[in-house]
Amino acid sequence: MEDRHGHRISYLRVSITDRCNERCAYCMPGELHEWLPREGILTFEETLRLIRIAAELGVSKLRVTGGEPLTRKGVLNFVRELPGISGISDLGISTNGTLLARDVEPGLTMAAALRSAGVRCVNISLDTLDGERYAQITGRNLSEAALSGIDSAIQAGFEQIKLNTVLMRGRNEDELVPLIEFAAARGLILRFIELMPVSTTEVLSERNFMSTFEAKRLIESHYGSLIPEPTFRTNGPATYYQVPQRSQRIGFIGAMTNLHFCENCNKLRLTCDGKLRPCLGSALEFDIMTPMRAGATDSELRDFFIDVVDRKPAQHDFRENYQPGRKMVAIGG
Ligand SMILES: C[S@@+](CC[C@H](N)C(=O)[O-])C[C@H]1O[C@@H](n2cnc3c(N)ncnc32)[C@H](O)[C@@H]1O
Ligand code: SF4
């Protein structure tokens, strides 16, 4: 699938739940949130059908996300189906990590079970190493669970583990170096993400926002100039650098300040309530659940996908069209 701006769509992010065991203020401000009713959520069978159709249309990379995907009952059985879908060659999951160390059966952690189900890459959110701050940012006292989850992921032997840190002035700008050291000690890729306008205005003020440029400057004041790695890419829009005198790689996701952010976008999103979103940073979304439940054939659903891709905007409108009412948890970050 290719849109009218030359974006080739090969990557589908699938949100399987809007629920979460945390309440990160920038994603899901507690006072705003109401869970979607169960019948408003795609069943796993429905989700698998849509993934198969996307794969027929050229999607080869899949990332399971949420909400917190590991809170949904039956997630493991669902994930086990994914590598068997013809065309899917790369399977990842995004998680806050808090449930990865949990045993799903005696002696088998969730992380190990996901790995043996065929998950190759796991992205784990970690904004701070400090337990108290973790509780302030996420609304839950689960720092230890998240850190054990990271250990379990390492033990499980994923091909790639990335830690994602959302940059927040006044919350974690003094932890950039400790987080880099934490990742270095474990051989993990660490990425710093700019806060995006998908929450309430109190959470997303100019005061909280810290650009990737500023984070890079702070990091360079400690380590010296970072060495650009323009040829290293994962599936997303991060730009990567090497920390001098080490083989460590760190990334920056400058959704707000990087004007080239959307150039190579290869993504489409399927929300847990059955909406196809051609772009995270645009309000455009198209309900594919209703026609599917009304009996649409595979061929009709294929045309639906192609039509949505055709409407993919040239770039996101976060900068021009600041809409803090949107909630990342409902979109699937
Ligand atoms: C919505 S979460 C879903 C997966 C999982 N619960 C997790 O926390 O990784 C996916 C990613 O979106 C990021 N995110 C959520 N709200 C954001 C915002 N307003 N700006 C930037 N990143 C955000 C989170 O930090 C996380 O790395
Ligand atoms: S960022 Fe992840 S962990 Fe935090 S509230 Fe959103 S979905 Fe939950």
Side-chain angles (χ1 to χ4, degrees), residues 52-84:
R52 280 191 195 100
I53 289 169
E56 282 165 21
L57 290 168
V59 163
S60 58
K61 294 163 196 153
L62 208 63
R63 174 165 295 278
V64 177
T65 181
E68 176 45 49
L70 302 182
T71 60
R72 181 152 171 195
K73 214 167 140 212
V75 61
L76 263 178
N77 285 337
F78 167 71
V79 169
R80 285 187 184 115
E81 296 290 322
L82 301 175

Side-chain angles (χ1 to χ4, degrees), residues 285-315:
E285 60 178 24
F286 303 91
D287 175 9
I288 194 166
M289 179 161 79
T290 303
M292 178 166 59
R293 289 191 175 171
T297 62
D298 281 3
S299 154
E300 284 163 342
L301 294 175
R302 218 172 287 134
D303 290 345
F304 196 105
F305 266 90
I306 290 167
D307 197 40
V308 169
V309 167
D310 195 48
R311 293 160 193 248
K312 191 170 165 68
Q315 55 181 26

Side-chain angles (χ1 to χ4, degrees), residues 13 19-22 24-28 64-70 93-97 123-127 163-167 191 193-199 203-204 255 280 318 326-333:
R13 291 182 73 109
R19 301 187 183 210
C20 188
N21 57 345
E22 296 194 331
C24 303
Y26 50 69
C27 175
M28 183 170 51
V64 177
T65 181
E68 176 45 49
L70 302 182
I93 190 158
S94 289
T95 171
N96 60 29
N123 286 2
I124 306 176
S125 297
L126 185 69
D127 296 339
L163 300 180
N164 286 329
T165 300
V166 176
L167 294 164
R191 307 185 308 171
I193 304 177
E194 280 176 357
L195 202 51
M196 292 175 244
V198 280
S199 185
V203 178
L204 293 158
L280 170 67
F318 277 148
R326 286 185 294 214
K327 287 168 283 177
M328 187 76 106
V329 73
I331 303 170

